Every structure is written in structure tokens, then in C-alpha cells.
């Protein structure tokens, strides 16, 4: 009785499995083999057709340039400045800052807002630019690109050492005929929301200028740390 | 044969845990009302509320608010006081922070040094081991998909399990993804509960296991039973295997946790939001 039901289960599972496996095989076999033949020089694999001057195209160009810069780390000392310039050109820190502060944006004075935008940009640079160099050789796959009026979302996937893929989506905004990133969503976690949530926690105990001071000292701390790292390498 | 004795003492553990969780959960059924009333009175003590808030000024992007598509990826507002500013419910924050601190010490003094030694093992080998552990979680993902009536997903996970266990040498390789493009479906029992409308309850930091919520914590208990290792190994062996899994995962990771601790103003808040956002996103999928 018992072994009979287990046997039945196994048969069911097998049928189901073969059904599910065979169905996508025809369609995906071609796709699966395609990425391997793609040129490996940029590590970027395109799933969909990328239209020129569209959001995906623009973000791809920036990533290409950043990776090229990261490859020169050993030979030049200006890579950090160059990457910073590239990021500044593509990310709209004004919009990001406004999203991060949320309701507190209205409470802040104009000077505080300006200072926040500047500090937040610096902080993100110090936080992430050092980190991306570890991902220089990872493969990036581009997924779909959604455009709605002046906003867009571009899905990308980074292959990790373990074989897993990490989804990274760029939310973009069309500003004077140019697509600019205003949020990055990594594995369902929006960067702006993440900072917004933790900063609003900080702002419960402090006012905006207190937060600005804290950011300033954090930036200095990270700068010093990176200077030491660069010096020791 | 003292197998049953081992099993016995071990199986009692999760049941006890479940009971405790439920008790705690009952205690906090009435907590939200109390917490809400206190939190509203104490919000923003640093900022003086007397300053005039020019929040009535219309913004240029006002049209964004009127977005009729709720599930639309662009429906979050860019500038405003929109709906995603709600605070996460964390009535146990002091306790959670204490456990967070404890886990932090455990990470830096135990897990990390061990993982560093582990890095002697070449990456392909370690990532293979990581995939093997991941393969063992396939039953959980299949069952969770099934419970949500996502039959295609369940089929994919079952196929992955069968293919990777056989062709993929016990999950060491991932031919299911590489050859058939069958990708891992991120599902677990916490998401099943979420799928059927069970709320997170409140945020919880578990010792050793890290960030969780009441819902996901409760879901962890039956999750034990979907783990083949739980059935295959005795208590000590099981704990060792979990330890190896954790150390191996940390050794492959590019120091994500360290970076958060170094870079963020308040790592606890950052991790809390990241976890809850991710869980909410996964439930929605």
C-alpha cells in the first residue's frame, strides 16, 4: 500500500518533470547556446535587442566604460576619478536625494538640501565604487527594458561565482533627452528606499544638520580607509 | 540502535520553538495598537514640529501620484510623502538590536575567520558545494510553489532537482540551468504564508539565523522537515552540515556584511529594511 503510493507519486513526478523539461527545451536551447557565442570582451550579454539611445543602450554604454576604467586600476591612479565622473554623468543624485529624504526634504532648508545632494553623491561613491572593482570579470546579462513616457526600467543580471544570477534593475528618468538613473533595485531591494528607511530612522533622533554631520564624518572615514587600501596595493 | 533517541530530542526542539513563537505572537496581537499610539507621539523628537511645512506646494511630478497601475514598477513616487514611507513594524527593536550585536560578534570572531581559512579551497570547488546545498533546498522550493498553486514553477524546481541530482552529480553542477535554462525559483514557506495574505507580524532578529519576521520565523519550523539533510543526518551531523553551508557561503561572498557595517550610518536599520523589502518583493512575485 505504502510503497504503491510512493511508486505512483514517483511516476507522476516523472511525467510532470519530463513535460516541464521538454516544453521549454525547444525554445530555450537556442537561447542557452547563444550567450556562449557572444563576444566576451565586454562581459555583456544582450537578451533583447537594444535600441540606440534608449535607456538600456545608455546604461550599457556607461557600464562598458566603467568596466574599461576598472581594468586600468593597476596601471593608472586616476581610475577612481574617472569612474566617479562616469557615475556622476549617468546618475541623477538630485532626484535620488529627494527620494531618500522623502518628507524630510520639505523640512530641510535650501542649503541643507544642496549639501545633502552633494554628501549623498560622495557617500555613494565612497561606498560602491570600491566595491564594483570586485565584479570586473562578472558576466552581465541584459533583460527587458520597459519604457513609459519619461521613465524607464532596465533589468540586468550579474552572474556570481556560485553560478547564481543577481538581478539588478536600473530605474531611469529622461532628463533633457538623456536617460539618467534615479534608483537601483538589487534583488528586490531599492537603494533609494533602503537609504530612505535607514535615514528616516536616524532622523528620528537627530535633525537634518545632525544627519549631514554624520554623513560628512562617514565620508571622511571611508576616504581614509580607501586611501590606505590604494596605498597598500 | 540509538537513532530514535537522537531523533526524538531533536524533533522536540522545533515544536517547542513553534509553541514559543505562537505564544509570543499572541502577546503581540494587542501590541500594534499600543505601539502605534506611542510612536506617533514620539516621532521626530529632534526636528521641531513648529517649523512650517511647505508640503502643500504642488510638485511638478504631481501626475505620478495619480498612477492608476498599482502593480506598475513605476508607481512609487519620486519626491513625495507617498505610501512607501511607512515605518517597518519593529516593537522588539531593543531586543533585536541586542541579538544583532550578538550575531555581529559571532560573524566577526567565528564565522569570518573560519571562512577566511576556507578560502584556500579553490572557488570552483566551493561554488560546487554551494550548489549542492542549494540543490537540497529544491524540495522546499517545489513544495512552496505547489502550495501557492504555481504548478509550472513547482515543475521547474522538481526538474531541477531530478536533473541536477543525477546529471549534475548531486547538485555539484547546474545542468538544469546551463542546458535547459531552468532557473531557480525563489520560494519558501514564509512566502507561501505571505501569498495567502499573512502579514509579516513584526521584524525579528534570530540568534545565528539573522533577520526574520514573526511569519518567516514560524515558517522556518516546518521548513526543517523539507530538508533532506534533516532526515538523512543525526543532530550533530545536521548542525555540522549547516555550519559548513554557512561558512562556505560566507567564503564565496564578497564581504557584503562587512561593507554594510563599515559604510552605513546605522547597519541595523539598513539590514532591516533590506530584508523586509526583499521579502515583500519575493512575496509579490
Amino acid at each position: 500500500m505504502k510503497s504503491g503510493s510512493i511508486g505512483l507519486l514517483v511516476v507522476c513526478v516523472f511525467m510532470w518533470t519530463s513535460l516541464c523539461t521538454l516544453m521549454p527545451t525547444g525554445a530555450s536551447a537556442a537561447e542557452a547556446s547563444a550567450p556562449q557565442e557572444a563576444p566576451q570582451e565586454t562581459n555583456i550579454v544582450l537578451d533583447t535587442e537594444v535600441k540606440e539611445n534608449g535607456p538600456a543602450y545608455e546604461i550599457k554604454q556607461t557600464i562598458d566604460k566603467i568596466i574599461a576604467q576598472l581594468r586600468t586600476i593597476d596601471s593608472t591612479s586616476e581610475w577612481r576619478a574617472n569612474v566617479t565622473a562616469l557615475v556622476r554623468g549617468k546618475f541623477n543624485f538630485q532626484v535620488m536625494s529627494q527620494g531618500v529624504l522623502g518628507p524630510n526634504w520639505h523640512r530641510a532648508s535650501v542649503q541643507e538640501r544642496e549639501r545633502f545632494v552633494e554628501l549623498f553623491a560622495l557617500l555613494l561613491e565612497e561606498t560602491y565604487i570600491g566595491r564594483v572593482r570586485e565584479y570586473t570579470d562578472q558576466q552581465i546579462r541584459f533583460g527587458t527594458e520597459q519604457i513609459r513616457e519619461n521613465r524607464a526600467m532596465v533589468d540586468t543580471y550579474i552572474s556570481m561565482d556560485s553560478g547564481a544570477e543577481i538581478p539588478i534593475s536600473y530605474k531611469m528618468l529622461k532628463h533633457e533627452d538623456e536617460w539618467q538613473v534615479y534608483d537601483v533595485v538589487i534583488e528586490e531591494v531599492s537603494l533609494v528606499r533602503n537609504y530612505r528607511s535607514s535615514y528616516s530612522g536616524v532622523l528620528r533622533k537627530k535633525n537634518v544638520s545632525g544627519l549631514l554631520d554624520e554623513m560628512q564624518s562617514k565620508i571622511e572615514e571611508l576616504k581614509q580607509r580607501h586611501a590606505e587600501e590604494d596605498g597598500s596595493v | 540502535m540509538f537513532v530514535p533517541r537522537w531523533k526524538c530530542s531533536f524533533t522536540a526542539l522545533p515544536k517547542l520553538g513553534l509553541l514559543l513563537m505562537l505564544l509570543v505572537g499572541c502577546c503581540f496581537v494587542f501590541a500594534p495598537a499600543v505601539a502605534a499610539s506611542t510612536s506617533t507621539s514620539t516621532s521626530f523628537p529632534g526636528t521641531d514640529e513648529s517649523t512650517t511645512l511647505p508640503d502643500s506646494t504642488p510638485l511638478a511630478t504631481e501626475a505620478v501620484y495619480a498612477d492608476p497601475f498599482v502593480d506598475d514598477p513605476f508607481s512609487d513616487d519620486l519626491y513625495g510623502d507617498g505610501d512607501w514611507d511607512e515605518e517597518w513594524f519593529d516593537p522588539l527593536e531593543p531586543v533585536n538590536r541586542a541579538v544583532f550585536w550578538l550575531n555581529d560578534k559571532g560573524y566577526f570572531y567565528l564565522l569570518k575567520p573560519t571562512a577566511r581559512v576556507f578560502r584556500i579551497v579553490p572557488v570552483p570547488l566551493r561554488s560546487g558545494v554551494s550548489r549542492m546545498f542549494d540543490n537540497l533546498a529544491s524540495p522546499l522550493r517545489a513544495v512552496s510553489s505547489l502550495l501557492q498553486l504555481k504548478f509550472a514553477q513547482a515543475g521547474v524546481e522538481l526538474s531541477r532537482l531530478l536533473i541536477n541530482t543525477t546529471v549534475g552529480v548531486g547538485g555539484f553542477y547546474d545542468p538544469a540551468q546551463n542546458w535547459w535554462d531552468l532557473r531557480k525559483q525563489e520560494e519558501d514557506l514564509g512566502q507561501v504564508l505571505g501569498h495567502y495574505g499573512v502579514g509579516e507580524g513584526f521584524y525579528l532578529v534570530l540568534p545565528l539565523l539573522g533577520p526574520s519576521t514573526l511569519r518567516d520565523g514560524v515558517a522556518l519550523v516546518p521548513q526543517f522537515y523539507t530538508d533532506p539533510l534533516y532526515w538523512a543526518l543525526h543532530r550533530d551531523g545536521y548542525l555540522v552540515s549547516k555550519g559548513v553551508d554557512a561558512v562556505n557561503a560566507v567564503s564565496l561572498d564578497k564581504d557584503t556584511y562587512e561593507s554594510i557595517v563599515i559604510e552605513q550610518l546605522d547597519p541595523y536599520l539598513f539590514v532591516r529594511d533590506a530584508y523586509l523589502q526583499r521579502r515583500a518583493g519575493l512575496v509579490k512575485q
Side-chain angles (χ1 to χ4, degrees), chain A residues 104 199-215 217, chain B residues 44-48 265:
Chain A
N104 292 300
Y199 281 14
S200 76
V202 174
L203 282 166
R204 250 159 238 278
K205 302 184 195 94
K206 292 185 172 159
N207 55 18
V208 175
S209 74
L211 174 72
L212 291 172
D213 291 342
E214 216 172 293
M215 289 167 77
S217 57
Chain B
F44 301 109
T47 53
D48 39 341
L265 298 182

Side-chain angles (χ1 to χ4, degrees), chain A residues 131 148 188 190 204 218, chain B residues 45 72 79 262-263 277 285:
Chain A
R131 193 110 49 91
R148 175 109 81 85
E188 305 290 324
S190 141
R204 250 159 238 278
K218 184 53 95 179
Chain B
D72 188 87
Y79 303 101
I262 292 164
E263 289 152 0
Q277 261 199 65
Q285 267 179 9

